[in-house]
Amino acid sequence: MERVLMKGNEAFGEGAVRAGCRHFFGYPITPQSELPHYLARRLPEVGGLYLQAESEVAAINMVYGAAAAGARVMTSSSSPGISLMQEGISYIACAELPCVVVNIMRGGPGLGNIAPSQADYFQAVKGGGHGDYRLPVLAPASIQEIIDLIVLAFDLADKYRNPVMVVGDGILGQMMEPVELGPAPEVTPPPKPWATTGTLGRKSRNVVNSLYIEPEELEKVNLRLQAKYKQVEQEEKRWEEYRADDAQVIIVAFGMVARIAKAVVDSMRMAGIPVGLIRPVTLYPFPDKPLAASASGAAKAFLVVEMNAGQMLEDVKLAVCGRKPVHFYGRTGGMVTSVAEVEGKVRDIWEGLK
Amino acid sequence: MAVSTKRTQGLADKHFHYCPGCTHGIIHRLVAEAIEELGVLEKTVGVCPVGCAVFAYDYFNCDMIEAAHGRAPAVATGVKRVLPESVVFTYQGDGDLAAIGTAETVHAAARGERITTIFVNNAVYGMTGGQMAPTTLLGQKTTTTPFGRQSSVAGYPLKVSEMVATIDGAAYVTRVAVNSPKNILRAKKAILKAFNVQLKGLGFSLVEVLSTCPTNWGLSPPEALRWVKEKMIPVYPLGDFKVPEDEV
Amino acid sequence: MLEAVLLAGFGGQGILSTGMLLSYAGMEEGLHVSWIPSYGPEMRGGTANCAVTVSDAPISSPLVTEPTTLIAMNLPSLEKYETSVRPGGLILYNASLIYRLPERQDARVLGVKANEVAESIGNIRVAANVMLGAFIEVSQAISLKSALEALTKVLPPHRHKLIPANQKALQEGARIAREAGLVNSVNH
Ligand SMILES: Cc1ncc(C[n+]2csc(CCOP(=O)(O)OP(=O)(O)O)c2C)c(N)n1
Ligand code: SF4
């Protein structure tokens, strides 16, 4: 199969096109700009529309409208812009509309900087805006996986009628790796009889709404949403295990950091220390099963590595549930964890186990 | 260029990070000189945008606040309402002021906030890599209008001064450019006047300054100055759009 | 085989596209490759660098903190990254702009007057590819042929008239390295 060299941000765009997305609304922000630049060129080629909104607040509301009209639609931004979108995402989650939101995370809080970061983990997996809602969150770790997961993101969005978030960091967005595109996947979005497309050919009106004045009614909506999230938790957990079977120290990391962790696993194995990696591919629903399994199995300790102050750490602790110690190593502010730093931490843990 | 070379107290002793041929630096100097000449440096609070001028807090030699993208007029409102005797200005690009911050701008004007807004129109998003701005000209190629801005897709250039001038709370609205020595002198006068309008408590004042972005326009600095004259000014004519009543 | 190459210099020296050329050529040879640029405000007229990994095994971490090879196009880059090179690694420096020898005693070192060579070819912008030619000759990480061929893929069609100059640059760099007699004696 032909391989092409592609930048991460462009891969997000091409993945969306392959998934049948023909509408994109966004507002410029570094370090994700190549994604809108790519789609500004690419979407017109396939009869689609790229539209630059006047703000992220507007962009997410354009997404709301396009999703209500039945389109496969995407927006992308980076941390400060994603914060602005939270209001809209909450409305879209309540109105149960499918869409994909890409967050190429950068250093925060505040204006922060444009260096790579994973500090929006809480915001992504806990809902982010107001109210009791969740988004499936996918975290690719290579350019090839970006292409594949964007297609999955659109499928999940349609399947659950829910916004899906795909998170990466500045490095993943900026780096290039070969990808095999292959023939475009067969895209068959489910019928959307609920879409507000005009009543022509339909007996009843469709209303897209997130207002339920009566508490009884709103509680029913919430129960329905919660049942949906239960199903998501049962069916959609995804993860990768790398040399984890017999590992006594398990590193848990997602996205780019998992790549760094893989290098650590290899070098530590060479040094005779049995280390393995569990990489959550879905951050919500969080893949607690493999962690729980190794906590009751060979693993003697866990090490969570993140580019934040310890956010996924909480989910790992919940999964391990006190059965084994859970350590943490993280860098913040856009600093990138190095292989050597993580190796040092692993050695410390290994010494402690002996 | 024929700007005075004497250092102004209004600027800190710091090198600008702007690209060669970018006129953000000239505009900084004009604002700083005006503040100094009016003798209000010590009671001035500036609010900087998110855009190429994001580091303006390092350059202006007065108290400065860095606002979120587009929110400077709201932040400035907060300052001015707490410190009515202070002189408050915002310094904003066209993405910051005329896209994400349109609402803040319009409503600061509508409330007649006694603040001065310096609006730097360079027809493009500079900092993020040359994307289309609301002020991008029709046909102008940017990284998000790779085939040139088409009105059928991306609408029309937004004429901020003309629009703000329709708002009752706006006391002084003018458009200037910094592409020639003569225009720079005019720009200086306009900025002085805007601060005077604020000092007299007459209402909101806005000075739109046509500025260059050679980097993202893909032009040399002299070509960029020519582009302002030949392409921008015909779409964005210079002059006063609103002056205080007592001067009419 | 694993080469983790750090290319560093001024913005405008063609660092990023030379790194891309190496990546592309490696990919065409069926190798695993990755390319990461430095990005950010520092790009405005400041420093530029990119990290390229070429390997016959899947690349775990594409980040290069300890390069096997440093290609330094100017003095600030040499000063900044010299110490990070892996022991036994390679330092290629642009002797047109760097007047001192690298200080590392445990690395192989080669200076190439890349600017002069590029100017003699008639295009200063091909200097980084002179260095790439030298790197390919010394490391044998990929074949020179692949790099020569990959130019058509890396340069956009409207730049294809520059292919001969770039090919010349790669060939000259390789020749200089060959004549300097620096061969790859360390196994990574
Ligand atoms: C909420 C949010 N969205 C996007 C950005 C990214 N951003 C930084 S500067 C900028 C636009 C700057 O353009 P302009 O206001 O025209 O100023 P210039 O750089 O041209 O001076 C954008 C979109 C941000 N910082 N915050
Ligand atoms: S990018 Fe444009 S606006 Fe920004 S400093 Fe450079 S020339 Fe000025």
Side-chain angles (χ1 to χ4, degrees):
Chain A
M1 210 181 292
E2 206 205 341
R3 297 202 298 168
V4 291
L5 207 53
M6 215 175 218
K7 217 174 200 193
N9 282 333
E10 297 174 346
F12 280 107
E14 187 56 32
V17 170
R18 290 164 67 81
C21 167
R22 292 294 177 269
H23 294 84
F24 178 94
F25 304 94
Y27 186 77
I29 187 165
T30 316
Q32 60 83 59
S33 293
E34 295 82 0
L35 201 172
H37 294 180
Y38 184 82
L39 287 178
R41 262 178 202 287
R42 186 74 173 96
L43 279 174
E45 281 175 17
V46 291
L49 171 77
Y50 161 88
L51 191 64
Q52 188 173 308
E54 69 272 25
S55 69
E56 292 85 354
V57 175
I60 194 68
N61 283 290
M62 291 173 184
V63 167
Y64 183 34
R72 279 202 151 178
V73 56
M74 181 166 98
T75 184
S76 72
S77 188
S78 176
S79 310
I82 296 290
S83 290
L84 275 189
M85 288 185 187
Q86 292 304 335
E87 175 195 61
I89 295 174
S90 169
Y91 280 62
I92 296 173
C94 187
E96 294 192 81
L97 297 175
C99 67
V100 173
V101 178
V102 174
N103 181 6
I104 304 296
M105 295 180 271
R106 64 187 231 177
L111 198 47
N113 58 32
I114 60 177
S117 165
Q118 298 181 322
D120 305 347
Y121 179 93
F122 281 154
Q123 186 194 51
V125 304
K126 309 275 179 195
H130 61 284
D132 245 335
Y133 73 92
R134 294 296 184 102
L135 317 178
V137 181
L138 309 178
S142 71
I143 312 299
Q144 183 70 52
E145 202 180 20
I146 291 174
I147 299 265
D148 302 340
L149 287 187
I150 284 283
V151 178
L152 174 68
F154 277 100
D155 287 345
L156 291 178
D158 276 340
K159 178 174 171 190
Y160 294 102
R161 286 184 55 185
N162 207 72
V164 173
M165 184 168 277
V166 187
V167 297
D169 59 67
I171 306 173
L172 191 69
Q174 296 294 326
M175 83 173 195
M176 293 211 292
E177 281 181 332
V179 290
E180 280 176 6
L181 286 175
E186 195 67 35
V187 175
T188 40
K192 299 179 175 176
W194 44 262
T196 48
T197 51
T199 52
L200 191 67
R202 209 190 310 121
K203 292 233 169 53
S204 57
R205 288 184 321 120
N206 282 343
V207 176
V208 169
N209 175 38
S210 72
L211 173 68
Y212 299 90
I213 288 289
E214 297 301 333
E216 290 83 355
E217 242 191 291
L218 184 54
E219 185 174 52
K220 267 192 212 141
V221 172
N222 269 285
L223 290 174
R224 191 175 71 234
L225 292 178
Q226 293 304 319
K228 176 163 87 176
Y229 305 148
K230 270 269 138 36
Q231 190 194 345
V232 170
E233 285 172 19
Q234 267 153 21
E235 295 179 16
E236 308 300 346
K237 289 174 185 166
R238 286 170 171 80
W239 68 92
E240 182 201 359
E241 292 183 29
Y242 182 68
R243 305 180 84 166
D245 274 354
D246 61 337
Q248 298 188 21
V249 179
I250 298 271
I251 303 179
V252 192
F254 70 95
M256 271 317 287
V257 180
R259 298 285 293 272
I260 295 163
K262 259 189 188 172
V264 174
V265 169
D266 290 342
S267 68
M268 291 291 95
R269 288 267 175 179
M270 238 152 18
I273 305 178
V275 182
L277 168 72
I278 295 178
R279 172 174 75 92
V281 172
T282 50
L283 304 182
Y284 176 82
F286 189 73
D288 47 2
K289 281 187 214 138
L291 291 164
S294 36
S296 331
K300 296 200 171 128
F302 292 82
L303 171 61
V304 180
V305 187
E306 301 178 75
M307 287 194 282
N308 60 44
Q311 300 191 14
M312 182 174 69
L313 175 63
E314 295 189 359
D315 286 327
V316 175
K317 280 184 171 167
L318 280 173
V320 170
C321 204
R323 277 168 288 197
K324 298 287 158 58
V326 179
H327 303 267
F328 176 72
Y329 185 76
R331 298 294 301 266
T332 58
M335 292 300 293
V336 179
T337 326
S338 77
V339 170
E341 287 165 8
V342 182
E343 284 173 349
K345 188 77 192 177
V346 170
R347 280 181 199 284
D348 288 349
I349 294 170
W350 182 245
E351 288 305 314
L353 287 176
K354 282 204 284 192
Chain B
M1 203 148 286
V3 233
S4 87
T5 47
K6 155 175 97 41
R7 284 220 16 236
T8 160
Q9 288 301 310
L11 286 179
D13 188 11
K14 190 119 196 206
H15 273 298
F16 290 147
H17 69 284
Y18 299 108
C19 305
C22 177
T23 45
H24 260 304
I26 296 176
I27 303 167
H28 278 22
R29 168 170 272 275
L30 298 182
V31 173
E33 284 174 358
I35 296 169
E36 186 192 13
E37 284 165 32
L38 292 168
V40 294
L41 190 58
E42 285 170 350
K43 57 173 186 166
T44 297
V45 180
V47 186
C48 29
V50 179
C52 280
V54 69
F55 297 123
Y57 55 74
D58 279 338
Y59 304 144
F60 288 108
N61 197 14
C62 56
D63 283 355
M64 296 293 295
I65 300 173
E66 167 55 33
H69 195 24
R71 315 295 178 228
V75 174
T77 298
V79 175
K80 187 74 178 190
R81 295 297 177 118
V82 172
L83 305 168
E85 297 308 314
S86 61
V87 173
V88 181
F89 76 93
T90 71
Y91 186 105
Q92 301 174 259
D94 40 23
D96 193 88
L97 179 143
I100 196 167
T102 324
E104 283 77 2
T105 307
V106 165
H107 288 284
R111 291 188 304 266
E113 294 297 340
R114 280 127 183 92
I115 63 174
T116 298
T117 287
I118 309 297
F119 167 41
V120 180
N121 176 357
N122 58 11
V124 82
Y125 283 39
M127 172 170 241
T128 40
Q131 293 89 357
M132 181 190 76
T135 48
T136 293
L137 306 183
L138 289 181
Q140 186 183 336
K141 283 190 182 163
T142 70
T143 47
T144 51
T145 53
F147 315 107
R149 182 178 190 173
Q150 286 167 273
S151 58
S152 59
V153 179
Y156 298 87
L158 191 64
K159 295 174 182 166
V160 170
S161 291
E162 286 84 339
M163 180 176 77
V164 172
T166 65
I167 299 171
D168 290 345
Y172 176 53
V173 181
T174 191
R175 186 184 288 122
V176 296
V178 286
N179 62 325
S180 68
K182 199 172 77 192
N183 278 343
I184 290 175
L185 287 177
R186 286 199 188 128
K188 172 73 178 292
K189 273 202 194 126
I191 291 168
L192 271 169
K193 182 153 162 181
F195 278 114
N196 271 319
V197 165
Q198 177 178 172
L199 286 166
K200 287 189 197 151
L202 299 178
F204 182 76
S205 52
L206 181 140
V207 182
E208 174 173 347
V209 189
L210 303 185
S211 185
T212 60
C213 181
T215 301
N216 288 301
W217 294 353
L219 298 177
S220 69
E223 284 168 346
L225 292 173
R226 222 172 306 130
W227 201 82
V228 170
K229 176 162 177 245
E230 289 166 9
K231 297 281 159 68
M232 282 186 87
I233 293 179
V235 178
Y236 298 112
L238 307 183
D240 291 343
F241 293 91
K242 186 150 189 191
V243 288
E245 310 245 307
D246 57 356
E247 292 183 32
V248 176
Chain C
M1 186 276 296
L2 182 135
E3 276 288 351
V5 186
L6 185 65
L7 298 95
F10 296 124
Q13 276 182 317
I15 307 281
L16 299 188
S17 43
T18 293
M20 236 182 262
L21 181 60
L22 172 59
S23 316
Y24 222 103
M27 179 180 81
E28 298 284 298
E29 286 194 7
L31 296 166
H32 296 271
V33 298
S34 66
W35 174 94
I36 299 184
S38 64
Y39 66 95
E42 68 180 39
M43 279 169 65
R44 289 208 194 298
T47 58
N49 68 64
C50 68
V52 176
T53 307
V54 184
S55 171
D56 47 20
I59 296 164
S60 45
S61 172
L63 294 163
V64 175
T65 39
E66 273 196 340
T68 57
T69 296
L70 168 65
I71 299 181
M73 290 299 290
N74 62 11
L75 186 60
S77 303
L78 181 68
E79 287 181 336
K80 188 162 176 200
Y81 298 114
E82 180 175 354
T83 51
S84 69
V85 175
R86 244 174 253 189
L90 174 66
I91 298 175
L92 290 174
Y93 66 99
N94 179 4
S96 303
L97 296 179
I98 302 172
Y99 303 117
R100 73 159 173 83
L101 276 171
E103 281 155 13
R104 286 285 292 270
Q105 300 298 322
D106 58 347
R108 291 161 303 141
V109 164
L110 175 64
V112 177
K113 296 201 166 178
N115 285 28
E116 270 95 326
V117 176
E119 269 162 22
S120 75
I121 294 170
N123 188 342
I124 183 67
R125 286 172 173 263
V126 302
N129 279 344
V130 175
M131 302 300 283
L132 179 61
F135 165 73
I136 292 170
E137 175 64 27
V138 176
S139 69
Q140 300 290 321
I142 59 165
S143 75
L144 190 62
K145 185 163 160 280
S146 312
L148 295 172
E149 285 171 3
L151 280 167
T152 52
K153 295 272 175 66
V154 172
L155 291 171
H158 67 278
R159 292 255 162 78
H160 276 189
K161 55 180 187 297
L162 298 175
I163 288 177
N166 281 285
Q167 288 183 331
K168 194 90 206 295
L170 290 165
Q171 284 160 339
E172 277 299 288
R175 185 186 61 76
I176 291 166
R178 195 157 50 241
E179 285 170 10
L182 191 73
V183 284
N184 195 5
S185 54
V186 179
N187 268 330
H188 302 304

